[in-house]
PDB file of all heavy atoms in Angstrom:
ATOM      1  N   VAL B 767      -6.686   5.624 -17.532  1.00 98.00           N
ATOM      2  CA  VAL B 767      -7.793   5.010 -16.857  1.00 98.00           C
ATOM      3  C   VAL B 767      -8.249   5.885 -15.633  1.00 98.00           C
ATOM      4  O   VAL B 767      -7.541   6.753 -15.210  1.00 98.00           O
ATOM      5  CB  VAL B 767      -7.427   3.507 -16.313  1.00 98.00           C
ATOM      6  CG1 VAL B 767      -7.060   2.615 -17.456  1.00 98.00           C
ATOM      7  CG2 VAL B 767      -6.350   3.626 -15.246  1.00 98.00           C
ATOM      8  N   ASP B 768      -9.457   5.474 -15.236  1.00 97.00           N
ATOM      9  CA  ASP B 768     -10.023   6.265 -14.057  1.00 97.00           C
ATOM     10  C   ASP B 768      -9.508   5.824 -12.745  1.00 97.00           C
ATOM     11  O   ASP B 768      -9.388   6.579 -11.782  1.00 97.00           O
ATOM     12  CB  ASP B 768     -11.507   6.194 -14.093  1.00 97.00           C
ATOM     13  CG  ASP B 768     -12.114   6.764 -15.327  1.00 97.00           C
ATOM     14  OD1 ASP B 768     -12.097   7.982 -15.480  1.00 97.00           O
ATOM     15  OD2 ASP B 768     -12.711   5.985 -16.192  1.00 97.00           O
ATOM     16  N   ALA B 769      -9.234   4.530 -12.684  1.00 98.00           N
ATOM     17  CA  ALA B 769      -8.707   3.917 -11.392  1.00 98.00           C
ATOM     18  C   ALA B 769      -8.116   2.562 -11.657  1.00 98.00           C
ATOM     19  O   ALA B 769      -8.390   1.912 -12.627  1.00 98.00           O
ATOM     20  CB  ALA B 769      -9.851   3.788 -10.395  1.00 98.00           C
ATOM     21  N   LEU B 770      -7.217   2.176 -10.731  1.00 98.00           N
ATOM     22  CA  LEU B 770      -6.701   0.841 -10.671  1.00 98.00           C
ATOM     23  C   LEU B 770      -7.630   0.009  -9.765  1.00 98.00           C
ATOM     24  O   LEU B 770      -8.272   0.502  -8.851  1.00 98.00           O
ATOM     25  CB  LEU B 770      -5.315   0.845 -10.135  1.00 98.00           C
ATOM     26  CG  LEU B 770      -4.253   1.706 -10.744  1.00 98.00           C
ATOM     27  CD1 LEU B 770      -2.855   1.580 -10.020  1.00 98.00           C
ATOM     28  CD2 LEU B 770      -4.073   1.297 -12.197  1.00 98.00           C
ATOM     29  N   VAL B 771      -7.711  -1.255 -10.104  1.00 98.00           N
ATOM     30  CA  VAL B 771      -8.521  -2.218  -9.313  1.00 98.00           C
ATOM     31  C   VAL B 771      -7.733  -3.466  -8.956  1.00 98.00           C
ATOM     32  O   VAL B 771      -7.041  -3.970  -9.798  1.00 98.00           O
ATOM     33  CB  VAL B 771      -9.833  -2.539  -9.981  1.00 98.00           C
ATOM     34  CG1 VAL B 771      -9.626  -3.206 -11.324  1.00 98.00           C
ATOM     35  CG2 VAL B 771     -10.757  -3.341  -9.108  1.00 98.00           C
ATOM     36  N   LEU B 772      -7.793  -3.843  -7.659  1.00 98.00           N
ATOM     37  CA  LEU B 772      -7.131  -5.006  -7.176  1.00 98.00           C
ATOM     38  C   LEU B 772      -7.712  -5.401  -5.836  1.00 98.00           C
ATOM     39  O   LEU B 772      -8.515  -4.617  -5.349  1.00 98.00           O
ATOM     40  CB  LEU B 772      -5.600  -4.735  -7.048  1.00 98.00           C
ATOM     41  CG  LEU B 772      -5.107  -3.757  -5.936  1.00 98.00           C
ATOM     42  CD1 LEU B 772      -3.651  -3.937  -5.668  1.00 98.00           C
ATOM     43  CD2 LEU B 772      -5.385  -2.310  -6.280  1.00 98.00           C
ATOM     44  N   PRO B 773      -7.351  -6.570  -5.300  1.00 98.00           N
ATOM     45  CA  PRO B 773      -7.820  -6.876  -3.952  1.00 98.00           C
ATOM     46  C   PRO B 773      -7.314  -5.913  -2.932  1.00 98.00           C
ATOM     47  O   PRO B 773      -6.221  -5.260  -3.101  1.00 98.00           O
ATOM     48  CB  PRO B 773      -7.235  -8.287  -3.645  1.00 98.00           C
ATOM     49  CG  PRO B 773      -6.854  -8.799  -4.975  1.00 98.00           C
ATOM     50  CD  PRO B 773      -6.514  -7.622  -5.838  1.00 98.00           C
ATOM     51  N   ALA B 774      -8.059  -5.658  -1.865  1.00 98.00           N
ATOM     52  CA  ALA B 774      -7.565  -4.856  -0.729  1.00 98.00           C
ATOM     53  C   ALA B 774      -6.760  -5.739   0.184  1.00 98.00           C
ATOM     54  O   ALA B 774      -5.749  -5.312   0.797  1.00 98.00           O
ATOM     55  CB  ALA B 774      -8.688  -4.196   0.006  1.00 98.00           C
ATOM     56  N   LEU B 775      -7.177  -6.969   0.314  1.00 98.00           N
ATOM     57  CA  LEU B 775      -6.527  -7.875   1.219  1.00 98.00           C
ATOM     58  C   LEU B 775      -6.451  -9.275   0.579  1.00 98.00           C
ATOM     59  O   LEU B 775      -7.499  -9.756   0.112  1.00 98.00           O
ATOM     60  CB  LEU B 775      -7.380  -7.985   2.536  1.00 98.00           C
ATOM     61  CG  LEU B 775      -6.911  -8.893   3.638  1.00 98.00           C
ATOM     62  CD1 LEU B 775      -5.482  -8.545   4.140  1.00 98.00           C
ATOM     63  CD2 LEU B 775      -7.911  -8.778   4.841  1.00 98.00           C
ATOM     64  N   ALA B 776      -5.284  -9.822   0.537  1.00 98.00           N
ATOM     65  CA  ALA B 776      -5.060 -11.041  -0.282  1.00 98.00           C
ATOM     66  C   ALA B 776      -5.652 -12.323   0.339  1.00 98.00           C
ATOM     67  O   ALA B 776      -5.783 -13.364  -0.349  1.00 98.00           O
ATOM     68  CB  ALA B 776      -3.569 -11.224  -0.570  1.00 98.00           C
ATOM     69  N   ILE B 777      -6.002 -12.232   1.631  1.00 98.00           N
ATOM     70  CA  ILE B 777      -6.486 -13.351   2.334  1.00 98.00           C
ATOM     71  C   ILE B 777      -7.758 -12.951   3.087  1.00 98.00           C
ATOM     72  O   ILE B 777      -8.028 -11.778   3.313  1.00 98.00           O
ATOM     73  CB  ILE B 777      -5.481 -13.982   3.326  1.00 98.00           C
ATOM     74  CG1 ILE B 777      -5.015 -12.913   4.344  1.00 98.00           C
ATOM     75  CG2 ILE B 777      -4.324 -14.484   2.545  1.00 98.00           C
ATOM     76  CD1 ILE B 777      -4.194 -13.437   5.412  1.00 98.00           C
ATOM     77  N   GLU B 778      -8.516 -13.952   3.566  1.00 98.00           N
ATOM     78  CA  GLU B 778      -9.568 -13.655   4.529  1.00 98.00           C
ATOM     79  C   GLU B 778      -8.956 -13.345   5.872  1.00 98.00           C
ATOM     80  O   GLU B 778      -7.754 -13.607   6.133  1.00 98.00           O
ATOM     81  CB  GLU B 778     -10.579 -14.804   4.644  1.00 98.00           C
ATOM     82  CG  GLU B 778     -11.187 -15.210   3.340  1.00 98.00           C
ATOM     83  CD  GLU B 778     -10.398 -16.347   2.678  1.00 98.00           C
ATOM     84  OE1 GLU B 778      -9.240 -16.093   2.243  1.00 98.00           O
ATOM     85  OE2 GLU B 778     -10.976 -17.498   2.543  1.00 98.00           O
ATOM     86  N   ALA B 779      -9.736 -12.854   6.808  1.00 98.00           N
ATOM     87  CA  ALA B 779      -9.192 -12.509   8.160  1.00 98.00           C
ATOM     88  C   ALA B 779      -8.529 -13.798   8.703  1.00 98.00           C
ATOM     89  O   ALA B 779      -9.065 -14.831   8.778  1.00 98.00           O
ATOM     90  CB  ALA B 779     -10.365 -12.177   9.064  1.00 98.00           C
ATOM     91  N   PRO B 780      -7.263 -13.623   9.164  1.00 98.00           N
ATOM     92  CA  PRO B 780      -6.508 -14.740   9.588  1.00 98.00           C
ATOM     93  C   PRO B 780      -6.856 -15.175  11.054  1.00 98.00           C
ATOM     94  O   PRO B 780      -7.286 -14.295  11.843  1.00 98.00           O
ATOM     95  CB  PRO B 780      -5.033 -14.308   9.523  1.00 98.00           C
ATOM     96  CG  PRO B 780      -5.157 -12.789   9.752  1.00 98.00           C
ATOM     97  CD  PRO B 780      -6.433 -12.394   9.114  1.00 98.00           C
TER      98      PRO B 780
END
Side-chain angles (χ1 to χ4, degrees):
Chain B
V767 299
D768 297 295
L770 304 178
V771 60
L772 69 161
L775 179 58
I777 57 172
E778 302 94 294

